[in-house]
Amino acid sequence: MVYTLVFCSSMRERLFLWHAFFKKIRFFFEERGYLEVQTPKIVPYAAMEANIESITTFPMGLAEPFFLITSPEFAMKALLAQGSGPIFQITPAFREKEVGRWHHYEFQMLEWYKPAVDHHQLMEEVQDFLFLFLPNFKVEKITYQQAFRQHLGLDPFQFDLATWRTALADLWEENFCQNLLKNGLDVFLDYVFGFALQPKLGQEKLCFLSDFPISQAPFSKKNPDGKTAARFEVFYQGVELANGSYELNNSQEQKQRFFDLNLLRKKEGKKELKMDEEFLKNLNSLPNCSGVALGLDRLLALHQQEKNQAGLDSVLLFQREEKK
Amino acid sequence: MYDTSEFKKGLRVEIEQVPYTMLEVEFVKPGKGQAFTRVKLKNMLTGLTLDRTYKSGEKLNPADIVDVEMQFLYATDDIYHFMNNQNYEQFEIPKNKLDEAWRFLIDNMPVTITLYNGLPVGVNLPNFSILTIVECSPAVKGDTVTNASKLATLQTGATLQVPLFVEQGDKIKVDTRTGAYVERAKS
């Protein structure tokens, strides 16, 4: 299949829309004393993620592969460890094979870090930021566990096959679900989350969902309960807008999380990932801080139109078209 | 094999020896979580639909399905004869495999025939067909507005409801997608 990129029909209108959007964002951070930074888009390590794949590239010719960033997280943490203070970045981010109504393999990401605050304090700031673009919402804060309980009547920390099979009858394809469960609970929970829970989040109010299972929060500090970590996500009308953490800054623990993550990847038949030792070495110098990454294309699409059915196509300047 | 990332509307795949066409494709991925692709599939033999979900990276076999441009030649008894426009070979399809298509097939009509493992599973006609009425009761003069209709027999042998003013020998335009009378055709 061959694709070509074509101008969207309302290109001019969209140019101005993006321009005003960027301006407003920069003003917000300027006022709050953030430094705008740019970090490399092509890096020597693939993103350390169980379910996000980096796009491979060969900037030096066909020697060792490099990777397009899936987020500028590692480089920004390096700056923070060097004492940068509060920083933000607007950058393209790239994720292999993510294409859909609300996904694109190339998208605009806003990522920012604030020292000396935990994730709850950062959520307040995310709320202030989103209020600029989604002015009519009320806010709801719930935990991952509460969301499962409230919307599905299930407890993600108390899985038993019979109860879940009955409660999720509409979603249950026996062989498929058994297969998802074979390497632990997380992949199965993602399935339930994606199809049964996420569409319900942020429908009435902007939803801040926090305290994910540790295994789903590789870069977040552990919570005192020992089973969840200080990670949050923000949902609006069923669309995930942002993902943040009270950042893990213990090198030893980070390394252990990477091992666990690679173990899951191996079981799932995915390539194991090389660890960035430099990142691990500097992590102990990372000050206590919280950070968040926010999908700008999604935010702009929902800012443009409530209940947006067109998704990212409503804001992209160039669109992928199959070439005949 | 088609990877989930290649799934799209109109893709034809084979699952457990049955050909399906994809009607809808939805990519679902919780932020840091596993990606899934949910598809609505239409069974190309029965027309029934079903939903299936796949984990990213799963693969499906392509169905051996081709669309061939042909021309309708003639019918003898219950066998319909077509000619392949590419290689001029003749191709026969029994009437019972043509669904409703036989009702509107006229000589030399261009059609698209869908073959699965070489056997016909679908016939696509042009949207409109001009057909001659070979038999119907006499016209009722002046009645051009009411919704009343009568049964007419077409040159193909099929019957159709037509307005009262239409006469035997008239040519009429029929929408092959709905099977409904559209208007009298100028002859």
Side-chain angles (χ1 to χ4, degrees):
Chain A
M1 247 177 289
V2 181
Y3 288 101
T4 177
L5 290 174
V6 296
F7 295 120
C8 76
S9 52
S10 46
M11 161 76 91
R12 213 181 139 68
E13 192 185 303
R14 289 184 190 188
L15 274 176
F16 284 102
L17 185 71
W18 275 101
H19 178 80
F21 188 46
F22 284 137
K23 218 163 138 177
K24 223 165 163 178
I25 294 168
R26 294 197 157 98
F27 186 72
F28 177 88
F29 288 102
E30 176 84 48
E31 268 200 319
R32 288 170 183 245
Y34 280 82
L35 274 186
E36 178 166 3
V37 301
Q38 286 294 329
T39 55
K41 315 305 174 210
I42 300 178
V43 295
Y45 293 93
M48 268 295 180
E49 293 281 354
N51 302 296
I52 296 174
E53 301 306 315
S54 303
I55 294 175
T56 307
T57 181
F58 296 91
M60 310 276 283
L62 287 175
E64 283 288 285
F66 277 61
F67 305 90
L68 300 183
I69 55 165
T70 63
S71 131
E73 181 163 357
F74 281 24
M76 289 182 82
K77 283 181 175 171
L79 295 177
L80 286 150
Q82 294 293 319
S84 68
I87 47 175
F88 80 101
Q89 177 164 198
I90 297 172
T91 177
F94 308 87
R95 295 179 179 187
E96 189 176 79
K97 291 186 179 180
E98 294 195 12
V99 177
R101 196 151 47 111
W102 291 105
H103 291 81
H104 198 235
Y105 49 76
E106 166 180 1
F107 59 102
Q108 295 294 328
M109 180 181 266
L110 164 66
E111 185 151 325
W112 79 89
Y113 291 86
K114 189 170 194 170
V117 299
D118 67 14
H119 60 306
H120 291 288
Q121 290 165 293
L122 187 65
M123 278 191 254
E124 297 293 321
E125 189 162 82
V126 173
Q127 191 179 319
D128 292 344
F129 175 80
L130 288 174
F131 189 70
L132 294 176
F133 306 103
L134 308 170
N136 299 318
F137 63 74
K138 293 198 178 87
V139 173
E140 149 184 69
K141 283 186 176 155
I142 52 173
T143 66
Y144 184 85
Q145 185 178 32
Q146 283 165 349
F148 270 83
R149 282 188 178 154
Q150 265 178 34
H151 293 285
L152 305 174
L154 295 165
D155 184 341
F157 297 101
Q158 305 246 310
F159 175 78
D160 89 89
L161 196 61
T163 314
W164 284 59
R165 187 192 278 129
T166 311
L168 299 168
D170 290 349
L171 214 59
W172 204 270
E173 296 170 42
E174 189 63 35
N175 292 340
F176 184 70
C177 289
Q178 291 288 359
N179 189 41
L180 296 182
L181 281 162
K182 72 174 193 282
N183 297 324
L185 208 49
D186 285 314
V187 174
F188 173 74
L189 285 177
D190 287 338
Y191 174 62
V192 178
F193 190 94
F195 287 97
L197 192 53
Q198 185 172 334
K200 296 179 177 160
L201 299 179
Q203 290 300 353
E204 304 295 324
K205 297 169 182 169
L206 182 77
C207 175
F208 284 81
L209 188 77
S210 64
D211 306 309
F212 285 69
I214 294 174
S215 51
Q216 296 184 23
F219 299 104
S220 315
K221 280 185 199 277
K222 230 184 247 171
N223 285 329
D225 67 9
K227 58 184 183 183
T228 64
R231 175 184 161 209
F232 68 93
E233 287 213 310
V234 187
F235 294 90
Y236 188 59
Q237 295 177 352
V239 179
E240 179 213 0
L241 282 178
N243 174 70
S245 286
Y246 189 17
E247 305 294 343
L248 179 60
N249 54 0
N250 177 320
S251 175
Q252 204 52 42
E253 192 177 341
Q254 185 71 79
K255 199 165 184 172
Q256 185 56 48
R257 304 270 190 102
F258 286 171
F259 274 121
D260 295 345
L261 187 152
N262 258 337
L263 199 66
L264 178 65
R265 285 186 65 96
K266 194 176 172 185
K267 284 193 215 158
E268 287 283 316
K270 295 176 184 167
K271 224 173 112 184
E272 287 175 83
L273 302 167
K274 220 166 48 174
M275 287 186 207
D276 183 343
E277 296 293 341
E278 194 72 12
F279 169 77
L280 288 169
K281 204 174 77 191
N282 292 329
L283 200 61
N284 285 330
S285 317
L286 183 71
N288 281 330
C289 67
S290 288
V292 61
L294 190 147
L296 290 179
D297 309 71
R298 289 180 182 173
L299 176 59
L300 189 57
L302 290 170
H303 163 65
Q304 267 294 84
Q305 199 191 336
E306 294 244 326
K307 314 272 175 206
N308 191 327
Q309 288 304 305
L312 302 181
D313 277 350
S314 60
V315 292
L316 290 178
L317 293 179
F318 292 85
Q319 283 165 1
R320 209 167 45 102
E321 232 179 43
E322 206 173 318
K323 203 171 177 178
K324 297 272 179 250
Chain B
M1 298 282 265
Y2 293 122
D3 181 271
T4 45
S5 62
E6 295 174 90
F7 289 6
K8 59 172 187 170
K9 203 172 154 179
L11 194 72
R12 289 152 166 191
V13 294
E14 189 176 68
I15 305 165
E16 289 147 17
Q17 279 96 52
V18 176
Y20 292 89
T21 179
M22 293 187 177
L23 298 181
E24 287 168 30
V25 178
E26 188 192 8
F27 180 78
V28 171
K29 181 180 191 305
K32 284 181 180 289
Q34 171 71 45
F36 299 94
T37 303
R38 170 172 283 185
V39 283
K40 188 178 274 300
L41 295 158
K42 184 176 156 195
N43 183 320
M44 296 183 74
L45 304 179
T46 64
L48 299 176
T49 61
L50 69 108
D51 292 316
R52 281 277 180 102
T53 309
Y54 296 92
K55 233 163 87 174
S56 262
E58 286 193 82
K59 291 176 174 58
L60 289 176
N61 279 314
D64 178 13
I65 289 258
V66 282
D67 288 324
V68 186
E69 302 299 325
M70 296 203 193
Q71 196 180 67
F72 174 59
L73 298 176
Y74 60 92
T76 50
D77 299 324
D78 281 347
I79 303 294
Y80 285 69
H81 300 261
F82 298 84
M83 182 184 71
N84 184 329
N85 292 351
Q86 298 272 291
N87 57 19
Y88 307 108
E89 274 175 21
Q90 290 208 18
F91 193 84
E92 295 174 0
I93 304 181
K95 186 176 178 179
N96 61 15
K97 295 274 177 199
L98 284 173
D99 290 331
E100 298 290 292
W102 65 271
R103 295 162 52 103
F104 313 113
L105 269 174
I106 52 173
D107 294 359
N108 304 322
M109 184 179 249
V111 299
T112 307
I113 293 181
T114 305
L115 302 177
Y116 171 52
N117 294 332
L119 298 171
V121 293
V123 178
N124 228 326
L125 304 187
N127 292 345
F128 299 101
S129 177
I130 307 288
L131 295 144
T132 306
I133 294 184
V134 295
E135 196 185 336
C136 72
S137 51
V140 178
K141 288 289 176 205
D143 191 349
T144 56
V145 282
T146 69
N147 289 326
S149 64
K150 62 183 178 183
L151 204 61
T153 305
L154 306 174
Q155 71 195 81
T156 58
T159 56
L160 190 72
Q161 291 292 331
V162 298
L164 298 179
F165 58 81
V166 171
E167 293 188 71
Q168 193 166 312
D170 278 355
K171 283 184 187 300
I172 61 165
K173 185 172 172 182
V174 177
D175 189 323
T176 63
R177 295 160 295 184
T178 59
Y181 166 92
V182 180
E183 62 188 11
R184 247 188 312 198
K186 292 165 195 79
S187 45

